[in-house]
Amino acid sequence: YRFKPKTATLSDDVLKSVYKNDYISLSVSRMERFSKCPFSYYLNYILNVKEQKKSMLYSTDTGSIMHDVIEKISVSIKNSGFDWSNVSTDFLTTETERLVNEKIAEVGAMFGFLSNRRTWLLIRLKSTLMTSVKFIAEHLRASEFVPLGYEIEFANGNKYTPFKITIGGKTVSLKGKIDRADMYTDAEGNRFIRVIDYKSGSRSFDVSNMYYGLELQLMVYLDRLCDLENASPAGILYFRFKDPILEEGKGRIEDEFKMKGLVLKNDDVIRAMDKNFDRKSNVIPVEYKIDGNHTVHSSVASANQFAGMRKHLHTVIRQIGKEIAKGRTDISPIRTSSVNGCEYCNFRQACL
């Protein structure tokens, strides 16, 4: 449910100055922000109100560092004639350490010195990356899926163009970037694509959040890639960067690095994601019973269910795009059982 909204709409003149030539270029994250609260979207992306940050290393900064290091490792692997499935552990260890040390030097130069707190954060980041990179490689060695690319950007002029719709004479274009996408081709020549998002925090796919327009990114990228590559959806997955130090009794380290998300309920595709497991996968959220059926711990969806989600995704994007194009700016933060639109908003004081 939502708070009782305080309605406000931008005038036509303002809309024309903001969205020139009836072209609205949005990122998927901006659409998600609008779904959480139109007023927050208005302050952030129309007025460009920014929070004044202190000179410190934030968790979002360490997340960006980890993404950057993974992208550079992928390029280094390719330039050296390897791929993630056959690169040696020694190469990964050496390259990861070199790239992280470069980043540590950059952060030190940025702040002028490394405080005890920054030093501790960067040491932990290095430990996290050293282990995470190892498991990314192990997951791909266990898989018949082959990476389509890393840090794939959906933009005009690129190989992968943005998702576009026309609403009331206005063109809404959805740009963005996905950390990784992999493809598998079966014996009959059918192609399947999965998209993978690297996260520094815990994350799992919530279908209800997608229906509310709060969790669109992976479905948008999967939908677009399947259209452009003439392929079928195989899954949407999150790989979490984690510190390898486990709490006592928490479990095996392989379980800690298992990807979360949703995969296609197709045994051939599932086995292509992890060709080494018998009943319980260490790579994806799938587990079989003795009779061959999936357990309740499996996160799977049929081809028809994926098709239904893609169809609803288009409806949601059109609805949100229509509201943005109308210039909605009302204070109307969403509240569901799992999401509070105000919880992490930097503009809460502006609504009081």
Side-chain angles (χ1 to χ4, degrees):
Y1 61 90
R2 291 177 180 267
F3 294 132
K4 185 176 180 180
K6 298 178 181 178
T7 58
T9 304
L10 298 177
S11 68
D12 289 340
D13 288 341
V14 172
L15 285 172
K16 287 178 182 178
S17 68
V18 173
Y19 305 124
K20 295 179 174 61
N21 301 318
D22 291 329
Y23 189 85
I24 304 174
S25 180
L26 301 170
S27 64
V28 183
S29 59
R30 290 189 180 196
M31 272 205 159
E32 293 172 342
R33 172 68 70 94
F34 185 88
S35 295
K36 285 185 177 180
C37 179
F39 187 64
S40 175
Y41 172 92
Y42 167 67
L43 290 177
N44 205 16
Y45 300 119
I46 305 298
L47 295 185
N48 292 314
V49 176
K50 303 298 179 187
E51 182 184 25
Q52 186 174 4
K53 288 190 175 182
K54 298 177 181 178
S55 179
M56 61 185 296
L57 193 64
Y58 291 86
S59 59
T60 51
D61 298 325
T62 58
S64 296
I65 290 172
M66 287 190 280
H67 278 79
D68 188 46
V69 169
I70 292 295
E71 182 181 9
K72 288 181 177 178
I73 289 173
S74 301
V75 172
S76 182
I77 290 171
K78 183 178 180 181
N79 290 343
S80 300
F82 302 112
D83 59 50
W84 277 94
S85 64
N86 62 23
V87 67
S88 70
T89 300
D90 287 343
F91 181 93
L92 283 176
T93 300
T94 301
E95 277 300 285
T96 303
E97 188 163 18
R98 179 182 69 81
L99 290 167
V100 172
N101 286 340
E102 285 182 3
K103 281 295 179 182
I104 291 174
E106 287 178 19
V107 172
M110 183 190 308
F111 291 103
F113 72 101
L114 288 177
S115 65
N116 289 339
R117 178 182 177 275
R118 291 177 191 139
T119 300
W120 177 81
L121 281 174
L122 291 169
I123 289 173
R124 184 176 178 187
L125 180 148
K126 186 174 184 177
S127 175
T128 297
L129 272 170
M130 296 291 280
T131 307
S132 296
V133 163
K134 171 190 169 186
F135 276 93
I136 290 173
E138 286 193 7
H139 287 180
L140 281 167
R141 289 186 190 118
S143 173
E144 293 182 38
F145 276 77
V146 177
L148 273 176
Y150 312 95
E151 297 293 323
I152 297 174
E153 188 171 3
F154 298 82
N156 292 325
N158 284 9
K159 178 183 178 181
Y160 297 114
T161 53
F163 182 104
K164 292 182 180 180
I165 54 173
T166 301
I167 301 172
K170 294 182 174 67
T171 299
V172 176
S173 174
L174 273 183
K175 60 185 179 181
K177 185 185 288 187
I178 182 65
D179 294 329
R180 197 180 97 217
D182 304 335
M183 181 183 285
Y184 163 67
T185 305
D186 68 13
E188 286 74 42
N190 300 308
R191 288 141 62 101
F192 298 89
I193 289 176
R194 66 180 186 181
V195 291
I196 296 171
D197 197 17
Y198 297 136
K199 291 293 181 187
S200 53
S202 180
R203 187 74 179 267
S204 59
F205 182 68
D206 188 329
V207 175
S208 64
N209 283 342
M210 189 274 289
Y211 271 67
Y212 284 117
L214 302 170
E215 194 173 333
L216 300 173
Q217 292 201 46
L218 293 193
M219 276 303 300
V220 167
Y221 302 142
L222 178 65
D223 177 77
R224 188 63 181 149
L225 284 171
C226 286
D227 280 346
L228 293 172
E229 293 284 356
N230 190 28
S232 299
I236 47 182
L237 294 162
Y238 295 100
F239 177 92
R240 184 182 177 189
F241 297 124
K242 298 197 72 173
D243 193 302
I245 300 173
L246 298 178
E247 297 174 9
E248 184 178 352
K250 194 168 185 179
R252 300 183 312 144
I253 192 168
E254 290 85 357
D255 292 333
E256 295 301 307
F257 282 93
K258 178 188 291 189
M259 292 187 285
K260 295 183 178 181
L262 187 68
V263 299
L264 181 65
K265 192 176 182 180
N266 176 311
D267 287 338
D268 180 56
V269 172
I270 287 171
R271 294 294 178 181
M273 291 193 196
D274 184 0
K275 54 193 177 187
N276 298 329
F277 84 104
D278 179 22
R279 287 177 54 195
K280 184 178 180 181
S281 173
N282 290 327
V283 178
I284 55 174
V286 173
E287 183 179 348
Y288 286 101
K289 299 177 183 177
I290 295 177
D291 62 8
N293 291 315
H294 296 102
T295 70
V296 293
H297 302 294
S298 298
S299 183
V300 294
S302 68
N304 285 338
Q305 288 173 319
F306 266 106
M309 284 187 285
R310 293 177 71 185
K311 182 178 180 180
H312 184 76
L313 174 74
H314 288 217
T315 301
V316 170
I317 290 173
R318 183 167 291 278
Q319 288 172 343
I320 299 171
K322 183 178 180 181
E323 296 300 314
I324 290 174
K326 285 196 314 185
R328 266 192 63 194
T329 63
D330 46 287
I331 300 173
S332 183
I334 194 169
R335 283 282 185 90
T336 71
S337 59
S338 60
V339 177
N340 178 350
C342 297
E343 189 173 3
Y344 300 109
C345 181
N346 295 327
F347 309 116
R348 283 175 293 180
Q349 296 302 316
C351 300
L352 298 178

